[in-house]
Amino acid sequence: MSLKGKKIILGVTGSIAAYKSAVLTRLLIKAGAEVQVIMSTSAFDFITPLTLATLSKRPVLSQFQHDKTGIWNNHVELGLWADLFLVAPASANTLAKFANGICDNLLSASYLSARCTVMLAPAMDLDMYQHPSVLSNIEKLETFGNVVLDAESGELASGLSGRGRMMEPEHILLKVEQFFAVKSDFSGKKVMITMGPTQEAIDPVRYVSNHSSGKMGLALANAFLSRGAEVFVISGPISLKVPKVNFRWKDVKSASEMYQAAVEIHEQMDICVFAAAVADYAPAEVSPEKIKKKDATLSINLVKNVDIAAKLGSKKKQNQVHIGFALETEKEEENAQRKLSEKNFDMIVLNSMKDQGAGFQFDTNKVHIFHRSGLTVQSEIAPKKQIANLIIDQIKNIPVWV
Ligand code: PMT
């Protein structure tokens, strides 16, 4: 989503995560935003103002009075200028100041003057982040209506591991885009997306699965999110780096777990997209112990899995939209048309393994979309992000949507 014309104050405070604010500045600028960086004095110990000034294409502010010219940096004007006041990283010290109205630097004074939404991305060490004083400051800031972007888990600068890492810049960008997309075309809509492969256990160490990476499903999830929808993802095992915090996210392994997760939320959904490559069959029995190598051949009995799309399709309400995928290697159109009708989809997206760069694993896809109404649309090979938006645009041609 473009952030063209959006004015963002980016507060940077004293934390080792301040190096990530350079990446965040670049992402915001690349998305079209105007970014005014305000640094706290302790942020200077972690990143130079020159870096942030160069990336934001504006002088960085930090003092009430400009060092050389003596010109006053008007915190009231700054606070009113911004469409969004984002602080990333937000140190424990800055959170405490904001929560208690302490106003001893340009950043905290501008915070008190800001009328726009405030987003805070805390970054600190494991035990600091769990300290009751920090937790109560965060709680207090949330009661002011500030949006706290939960710290992520991982390795911390101290060597400890756990929650406290500043949310990754790419994830913060999505939050910012989501904030500005509120009034966009899918605002208020609840969307469920099944994605990735399923894994059907044979024994404790082996499974039946397929090559789905989850890239197509994730591209759809991100596209719906940036168009204002609330996105419920049900994902099979994938190894993509995912901003789960932005979604209602449920990890599952098998087709039956995916079905259980989907059936629980289906009724509340406006749109369901079945992008998962669900294993059609699963071992009839799961061996409780690792199967030992004995004979020259081994037969495993497979039984049909629940067809999630078909089952939920039979419960589809009049105002719900169901979109399916078909991954084919032969008789592509015929098979896609059959699935469109058998699974009660409003629209099916055919991707063929015969098209170079389409289907599993690729960052690109080439699709042929069939509407139940007879309308068809074909794409060229394009990034999955672009294909996702093309698919979402097509929802507007579905009669229940109009
Ligand atoms: O994840 P990527 O690497 O990016 O690859 C993307 C993709 C190729 C997996 C994706 O674009 C795709 O085509 N997904 C559906 C693959 C598939 O299983 O197609 P199918 O023709 O077997 O199934 C038809 C439809 O029924 C699909 O919407 C599928 O999600 C659904 N289904 C199938 C079987 C089952 N038991 N339950 C289902 O819900």
Side-chain angles (χ1 to χ4, degrees), residues 110-127:
S110 304
Y111 166 76
L112 291 183
S113 305
R115 288 194 190 158
C116 59
T117 294
V118 176
M119 279 187 184
L120 305 164
M124 63 199 78
D125 213 80
L126 182 69
D127 297 302

Side-chain angles (χ1 to χ4, degrees), residues 67-355:
D67 288 348
K68 289 184 188 133
T69 60
I71 293 170
W72 184 45
N73 291 318
N74 188 331
H75 58 86
V76 178
E77 270 176 19
L78 279 167
L80 294 178
W81 171 83
D83 298 315
L84 177 68
F85 194 102
L86 170 66
V87 184
S91 64
N93 193 34
T94 293
L95 293 176
K97 286 184 188 178
F98 285 6
N100 294 290
I102 297 170
C103 181
D104 62 351
N105 63 23
L106 183 67
L107 183 63
S108 52
S110 304
Y111 166 76
L112 291 183
S113 305
R115 288 194 190 158
C116 59
T117 294
V118 176
M119 279 187 184
L120 305 164
M124 63 199 78
D125 213 80
L126 182 69
D127 297 302
M128 292 172 76
Y129 195 52
Q130 283 170 3
H131 196 281
S133 65
V134 172
L135 293 177
S136 93
N137 283 335
I138 288 179
E139 211 176 299
K140 200 164 165 190
L141 289 162
E142 283 177 328
T143 66
F144 302 161
N146 296 174
V147 179
V148 177
L149 305 178
D150 281 342
E152 295 180 354
S153 284
E155 202 181 316
L156 298 160
S158 62
L160 294 174
S161 191
R163 223 148 133 218
R165 284 169 67 94
M166 185 180 93
M167 186 181 273
E168 290 300 324
E170 292 79 5
H171 304 176
I172 296 178
L173 176 70
L174 275 169
K175 287 283 185 192
V176 170
E177 287 179 334
Q178 192 186 12
F179 165 74
F180 284 115
V182 193
K183 289 191 199 78
S184 74
D185 51 353
F186 285 84
S187 167
K189 299 294 175 201
K190 288 191 162 85
V191 179
M192 178 185 93
I193 301 176
T194 68
M195 60 175 250
T198 64
Q199 290 180 354
E200 314 298 331
I202 297 171
D203 67 15
V205 297
R206 304 178 180 98
Y207 54 79
V208 176
S209 191
N210 58 63
H211 299 293
S212 172
S213 62
K215 286 180 184 172
M216 190 65 243
L218 188 61
L220 281 156
N222 282 330
F224 271 116
L225 187 73
S226 62
R227 293 172 74 159
E230 189 181 357
V231 185
F232 296 69
V233 176
I234 304 173
S235 175
I238 55 166
S239 53
L240 299 174
K241 202 174 159 206
V242 174
K244 291 185 185 173
V245 282
N246 295 314
F247 305 105
R248 305 286 195 96
W249 190 279
K250 176 91 181 156
D251 286 312
V252 295
K253 277 210 167 116
S254 63
S256 78
E257 282 175 28
M258 188 172 272
Y259 174 65
Q260 283 311 325
V263 87
E264 267 174 38
I265 59 169
H266 175 254
E267 210 186 327
Q268 319 154 36
M269 296 298 123
D270 298 295
I271 301 165
C272 298
V273 185
F274 299 89
V278 185
D280 286 325
Y281 290 88
E285 278 172 39
V286 181
S287 165
E289 304 299 338
K290 184 178 169 192
I291 299 171
K292 295 280 174 258
K293 186 166 57 176
K294 278 190 296 202
D295 303 328
T297 59
L298 171 71
S299 299
I300 298 170
N301 251 343
L302 299 176
V303 288
K304 225 179 198 173
N305 265 331
V306 57
D307 191 314
I308 305 166
K311 197 97 177 178
L312 296 180
S314 68
K315 298 180 184 173
K316 188 172 72 162
K317 290 182 287 180
Q318 280 240 308
N319 56 352
Q320 284 182 313
V321 165
H322 278 199
I323 301 166
F325 272 81
L327 179 63
E328 304 296 339
T329 57
E330 52 159 359
K331 295 185 188 155
E332 284 96 335
E333 186 169 338
E334 189 184 318
N335 286 328
Q337 292 281 13
R338 183 178 43 78
K339 288 174 187 173
L340 173 70
S341 120
E342 279 178 5
K343 303 193 190 208
N344 198 17
F345 291 137
D346 298 281
M347 188 172 112
I348 194 159
V349 181
L350 165 67
N351 33 201
S352 170
M353 295 287 283
K354 284 190 183 150
D355 287 323

